[in-house]
Amino acid sequence: MTTLRPTQETYAELQHAYDSFNAELFGGELPECLITLQRERLTYGYFSAERFSNREGRRTDEIAMNPVYFAVVPLVEIMQTLAHEMTHLWQFHHGTPGRGRYHNEEWADKLESIGLMPSSTGQPGGRRTGDRMSDYPIAGGLFLDTCDKLLTQDFRLSWYDRFPTYPALLAGQQSYSLTMDLPENVATVAANTGVDMATDIATALSEGISAYPLTSKKRDKTKYTCPCGVNVWGKPKLRIICGNCGDPFLASICAEEE
């Protein structure tokens, strides 16, 4: 048996997921793109239209995936990120993207049509549109059905970052998919791979070699974000209402430079 080199293995797995989603969720409408790994802070992934060009003058889009999350959030959520960014790619080629980072109604409708519910909080009750958007799987929807076919014992993301950031670990613990009754393959693959990765990460952290330690010498403060994308920082346990949209701010922990 030939062992693939890490670069080949990683990108072959991501390409396989892209091809599966393109066929099952987008009817094969999407062109090829260049998938990259980027450690963009507090971002699961992003889409950049026509970011790359070759020497023959061809252009291609970029979908970036953040490997910091690969080991600490459920695999189905990594696949959500890929499908989320593929929806941006679909809209660039077949629709009308919103200005800047804005996720408009057309994008939200398309995402919902493939079985992911757009949500500013990543959970039920969030806004469907905005600058910073997440999503969650729709029970019985097309996305989970496709994942159930894809996430068998033959599919995995073999390589992962052993030194996840604190926000990534927190995101994994708060994942909405953990509260759902997921299809059998989706749940089984996540359980089987998650134990081994968690043990490996815990060992790395205990050896004190993490590039992203769980404890910080910085002074912690709390970041508050409202569904319309406004951020404020302050002391823990504040209760703040946004003057723009009238919704409460949601808290997340960040670190303040000394």
Side-chain angles (χ1 to χ4, degrees):
M1 179 180 176
T2 302
T3 301
L4 291 176
R5 288 174 286 185
T7 299
Q8 291 176 304
E9 194 166 27
T10 297
Y11 285 98
E13 289 164 349
L14 290 171
Q15 184 67 58
H16 177 54
Y18 180 92
D19 292 342
S20 297
F21 287 166
N22 189 14
E24 299 291 334
L25 303 180
F26 296 93
E29 288 187 321
L30 304 188
E32 296 296 339
C33 73
L34 182 56
I35 300 173
T36 65
L37 298 182
Q38 306 283 351
R39 288 189 181 89
E40 188 78 12
R41 185 174 178 269
L42 300 181
T43 300
Y44 280 55
Y46 62 80
F47 168 74
S48 186
E50 297 186 336
R51 186 60 180 260
F52 288 90
S53 181
N54 69 3
R55 288 173 176 78
E56 285 72 46
R58 290 178 56 206
R59 295 180 181 178
T60 193
D61 310 307
E62 175 189 22
I63 287 180
M65 302 288 290
N66 191 341
V68 170
Y69 293 92
F70 284 8
V72 293
V73 303
L75 183 54
V76 66
E77 193 161 337
I78 303 302
M79 296 296 101
Q80 283 175 234
T81 299
L82 180 60
H84 177 120
E85 304 310 332
M86 289 174 71
T87 305
H88 284 298
L89 190 153
W90 171 86
Q91 188 176 42
F92 176 74
H93 290 278
H94 300 286
T96 306
R99 49 101 183 122
R101 298 184 305 172
Y102 189 75
H103 300 67
N104 61 21
E105 287 285 352
E106 180 187 64
W107 175 88
D109 290 343
K110 183 62 176 179
L111 192 71
E112 186 172 351
S113 77
I114 67 170
L116 289 173
M117 182 62 68
S119 169
S120 56
T121 64
Q123 298 186 14
R127 291 179 178 271
R128 294 181 78 250
T129 61
D131 284 326
R132 297 183 63 86
M133 292 296 299
S134 185
D135 51 74
Y136 60 90
I138 298 172
L142 183 59
F143 172 78
L144 283 180
D145 181 62
T146 302
C147 279
D148 198 37
K149 299 173 185 175
L150 174 65
L151 302 185
T152 66
Q153 294 302 318
D154 296 326
F155 178 85
R156 65 191 66 198
L157 294 180
S158 299
W159 296 90
Y160 54 89
D161 192 332
R162 295 179 65 217
F163 310 128
T165 62
Y166 177 75
L169 291 167
L170 188 64
Q173 295 170 357
Q174 297 177 345
S175 172
Y176 179 71
S177 66
L178 295 175
T179 70
M180 297 183 64
D181 184 15
L182 297 172
E184 182 177 358
N185 284 338
V186 177
T188 301
V189 170
N192 289 345
T193 58
V195 171
D196 292 339
M197 292 189 294
T199 301
D200 190 25
I201 290 170
T203 300
L205 292 173
S206 68
E207 292 171 355
I209 59 174
S210 173
Y212 307 100
L214 290 179
T215 57
S216 173
K217 294 182 180 179
K218 299 175 183 178
R219 185 167 64 254
D220 286 339
K221 63 179 180 178
T222 300
K223 175 183 177 182
Y224 298 88
T225 303
C226 82
C228 68
V230 176
N231 297 317
V232 297
W233 288 260
K235 295 181 179 180
K237 299 182 180 180
L238 291 178
R239 300 179 66 183
I240 313 171
I241 300 296
C242 178
N244 291 333
C245 66
D247 287 341
F249 282 78
L250 300 177
S252 62
I253 296 175
C254 61
E256 179 181 9
E257 297 287 352
E258 293 285 0

